[in-house]
Structure formats: C-alpha cells, structure tokens
Amino acid sequence: MNPGDYEFIGQLLKQRSGLVLAPGKDYLLESRLMPIVRERGLNSLDELVAELRRPTSESLQTEVTEAMTTNESFFFRDNTPFDLFREDMLPALLEARATRRRLRIWCAACSTGQEPYSLSIILKEMADKLVGWRIEIVATDLSSEVLEKAKAGMYSQFEVQRGMPIQLLVKYFTQVGDLWNIDAGIRAMVDYRKLNLLEGFSQLGTFDIIFCRNVLIYFDQPTKATVLGGVASVMAPDGYLLLGAAETVLGITDAFKPVPNKRGLYAPTTQVSETLRDSAFGSAIPKLQAV
Amino acid sequence: MKECLVVDDSAVIRKVACRILEEMEFETAEAVDGKEALDFCKEHMPDAILLDWNMPVMDGLEFLTALRSEQGGQDPVVVFCTTENDINHITTALGAGANEYIMKPFDREIIEAKFQQVGLL
Ligand SMILES: C[S@@+](CC[C@H](N)C(=O)[O-])C[C@H]1O[C@@H](n2cnc3c(N)ncnc32)[C@H](O)[C@@H]1O
C-alpha cells in the first residue's frame, strides 16, 4: 500500500476509534479488510481506500473501523479481577449502599459479552446476599457485530472452555448442537448498548464499578488520558475501576490511584472526583471531529 | 514439582499432553488405560490426572469411580479430557468426582485455563 493511503487509513482509525496503527502493519490491514474488499466487489485495498476517501463513505468508514478492532475475550479473563469483584469491591459497596440497595456496573468495552456475563454469573451465584438489591450491568462496545454476538449469548466449545469452570457451564448454559447458549436469566441481567469511548458517555449516568479492560492498550497516551478522565467523571467517589493486565493509570492520569496490593484495581482520587463530578453531566470529553 | 498422570489410549495424545504439561512445569507419567492408571495410583497418588473417557480394558469413568474409593484417592485433581462433549457425559463425570472437564480438541490455552481454575497452577 502506498504511504499516503496507509497514513489516510491510520488517521481514519485513530479519529474514529482511537486505534493507533503502527507502521508496517500492512498484513493486519490486509487480513481484516480484504473480506470487505471482496464483499463490496472491489479488486484491492487501494480501491477500498479510494472509496473511503469519497465524501459519502460514512457507512464504509464505520465498517472498516469496526473490522479493525480486536475482539478477543474470555470468561473470567485473568481471574484476579473477578476475585476482586466478588471478595473486595462487592462487600465494600454492599455495605456503603446498604440503604439505597442499588449498584451500577459498566463494562466499557465488552466485546462478545464474556466479561459482563462473568459478572452476572458471580452475582447470580451470590443471589441470597442480594435480595432486595437492584444491580444493573451496562455493557458497551464500539462494534455492532460483537454486540449482536454478545446479545445472542451463543459460544463455541472453544470459547466456553477458555475460562468458564465446568460446574458453571453445566449450570448456566444449554447445549445447542456444537454451541453453548447462556441462560436467558443471565442474558437479561446485561443491558447492551453501542458506544464509542471517544464520544463521551455522561449520558450513561454514574457507576459504582467500571471494567475498562484491554481497550486502552490500543490508544495513544492523550487518548488514554481523555478516556480515563471521562471514566472518572461518571464514577462514584467510592467506586472502583478495573483495567487490563497490561494497562495502568500511572503516568497517564491522576484521576485514579492504584489500590495497594490489589492488582489492576484503581480508585478515583478524591479531589479529582469532586471537581469532575461538578462537570460530570456536561461534556467532559469534547466530541472528536469526524474524518 | 507437581506430577500429572496422563491416561489415554492414544500415544499421540499422550505425547502432546505431556509436552504441554512439561512446559507448565509438571512432571508427567503415562498410562494407556484405566487399569494401568489405577495400578499406578495404588503405588502413589499423583497431584493431577488428565483422563480420557473411552479406553479399552478399563474406561475413564470406571477408573475414576475406583480411584475415588481408594485410600488417598480423593486427593488427585482429576480433569477429564475427552471427545464426549454432551451435557449427560459431563454431569455423569462430575457426579463421579471429576474436578474439571475438557472437551477435545484441546490446546495449551485450554489446559492452562482449566488447571488454573482447579488451583493446580
Ligand atoms: C480486546 S476486546 C476487550 C474485551 C474485554 N473487555 C476483555 O478484557 O476481555 C477490546 C474491545 O474494545 C472495543 N473498542 C475498541 N475501540 C473502542 C472505542 N473507541 N470505543 C468503544 N469500544 C472500543 C473493540 O470493539 C473490542 O471489542
């Protein structure tokens, strides 16, 4: 691909999803975008870029942006975050919210649903402690395709074996041919919505627990800082943030501080949450210009 | 180092499984059917057993039932690893005392994920 086209796609992706396309990723563009080239009856990536450059290419731009996302996810990914959810965050928040009996949880890049469903199953397993509580799980992603798959809750044998303990598989899934379908009761606990993290999210309301895992890794520093600032603005002052194993807030934002001895767990810093909360329902994040 | 006994009538599967387990820092031993596995366990109990279902002489389920009634036979963590992938087989295995269940085909990631869940890693 010629350097001008490569740069054009790089800019498009950065602006639309935050994805940083490093130099020399031609093979990645090829493997992710050739299906679109064929589907549209085009002959090459060059022709696809020419189409993308047309002013009327909005839906193609969206399609290309979604095709370039990495959607890998597993149930109970890395285990620790889910242990922290069950053993640290929930007990603390159940006490703190004992009068209101309401909790809101957000999976900020939920991909095909394994993360929100892992949380739902944990909640279901401790249902006796949650009688009378209203617990909401909002799960969002940029890509419509993964959201459709998440809503269907249908997983391959390979997918369920990466992380779902066998007792829970038997208890919460139904076998459909070679696939495994998660129970309607678990599905109903999750509210899926399409959302681009670059476009502001104060409309979602405030949350007590936010899982924002394995998405910031694709962004550059300023984008990470903007998104984390926005996340802080929709978080309860005594709430918790979870990041992926390869992600941190250190050196990026002082809106959050690591919780000592709890890997991957962060709490909002007080002065920030107070100042940000005043503007929380304004536009903490300026909407980025379209390409 | 923990020890894992790999029980499968296919030499190829035993070899693949042992290689994965050795990369995960397990000591490995092999048995070609449930009978050989049971004799092994009577000598000394391994920490973990990766167990096929369909085998000549004594199958995986018979072995598991016999193992769990041996002295010390409650201790090994037993992970079924079989092409039997329907819910009835799975619940039968769990009822007989299996700790985890892998549906073939498997790869390193699945073995690792399952072993982590049962606290072997
Ligand atoms: C690797 S998955 C992470 C899934 C899950 N959180 C986990 O840790 O297993 C990353 C997800 O982020 C989504 N994503 C990428 N850029 C995004 C953006 N700007 N806004 C919202 N979601 C985005 C992708 O569509 C993809 O599904």
Side-chain angles (χ1 to χ4, degrees), chain A residues 16-19 65-66 69-75 77-78 107-116 140-143 146 195-199 211-219 223 227 244 247:
Chain A
R16 294 189 70 111
S17 73
L19 178 71
T65 306
E66 292 194 8
T69 57
T70 297
N71 309 118
E72 188 176 65
S73 190
F74 338 124
F75 290 104
R77 185 173 194 168
D78 303 331
C107 290
C110 65
S111 189
T112 38
Q114 285 91 332
E115 185 174 274
T140 62
D141 201 282
L142 169 83
S143 154
V146 296
L195 181 115
N196 187 340
L197 289 171
L198 302 190
E199 289 179 357
F211 275 65
C212 184
R213 306 187 63 224
N214 303 301
V215 62
L216 295 176
I217 28 168
Y218 302 105
F219 302 163
T223 310
V227 171
E247 296 161 333

Side-chain angles (χ1 to χ4, degrees), chain A residues 173-208:
Chain A
F173 289 76
T174 316
Q175 197 167 22
V176 183
D178 278 347
L179 300 175
W180 294 83
N181 197 195
I182 199 158
D183 283 359
I186 300 291
R187 248 181 298 151
M189 294 170 74
V190 185
D191 174 9
Y192 287 104
R193 297 188 213 168
K194 184 166 167 142
L195 181 115
N196 187 340
L197 289 171
L198 302 190
E199 289 179 357
F201 29 82
S202 50
Q203 74 276 13
L204 296 176
T206 43
F207 293 96
D208 303 294

Side-chain angles (χ1 to χ4, degrees), chain A residues 81-127:
Chain A
F82 298 92
D83 295 342
L84 290 170
F85 176 71
R86 191 190 305 107
E87 281 145 36
D88 292 84
M89 293 181 256
L90 278 179
L93 288 166
L94 290 184
E95 205 178 304
R97 305 280 185 279
T99 33
R100 277 192 76 209
R101 296 190 163 236
R102 200 174 161 213
L103 279 183
R104 299 191 77 231
I105 301 163
W106 178 27
C107 290
C110 65
S111 189
T112 38
Q114 285 91 332
E115 185 174 274
Y117 287 144
S118 300
L119 298 176
S120 312
I121 287 177
I122 291 174
L123 291 170
K124 198 71 158 188
E125 287 284 295
M126 52 188 283

Side-chain angles (χ1 to χ4, degrees), chain A residues 172-282:
Chain A
Y172 293 113
F173 289 76
T174 316
Q175 197 167 22
V176 183
D178 278 347
L179 300 175
W180 294 83
N181 197 195
I182 199 158
D183 283 359
I186 300 291
R187 248 181 298 151
M189 294 170 74
V190 185
D191 174 9
Y192 287 104
R193 297 188 213 168
K194 184 166 167 142
L195 181 115
N196 187 340
L197 289 171
L198 302 190
E199 289 179 357
F201 29 82
S202 50
Q203 74 276 13
L204 296 176
T206 43
F207 293 96
D208 303 294
I209 294 174
I210 299 178
F211 275 65
C212 184
R213 306 187 63 224
N214 303 301
V215 62
L216 295 176
I217 28 168
Y218 302 105
F219 302 163
D220 66 8
Q221 295 282 106
T223 310
K224 286 180 197 179
T226 314
V227 171
L228 283 171
V231 168
S233 77
V234 296
M235 171 159 273
D238 57 348
Y240 297 100
L241 168 69
L242 270 138
L243 298 180
E247 296 161 333
T248 179
V249 301
L250 298 174
I252 297 168
T253 175
D254 46 20
F256 290 97
K257 56 179 188 302
V259 177
N261 304 318
K262 306 285 174 188
R263 218 168 137 243
L265 187 60
Y266 300 86
T269 41
T270 30
Q271 80 279 15
V272 175
S273 60
E274 273 157 25
T275 46
L276 276 173
R277 282 175 68 73
D278 295 335
S279 64
F281 302 100

Side-chain angles (χ1 to χ4, degrees), chain A residues 71-75 112 114 149 153-164 169 173 179-180, chain B residues 110:
Chain A
N71 309 118
E72 188 176 65
S73 190
F74 338 124
F75 290 104
T112 38
Q114 285 91 332
K149 180 165 173 184
M154 195 72 98
Y155 298 95
S156 70
Q157 181 169 299
F158 185 70
E159 288 169 321
V160 291
Q161 298 212 82
R162 292 169 93 188
M164 183 58 64
L169 180 72
F173 289 76
L179 300 175
W180 294 83
Chain B
I110 289 175

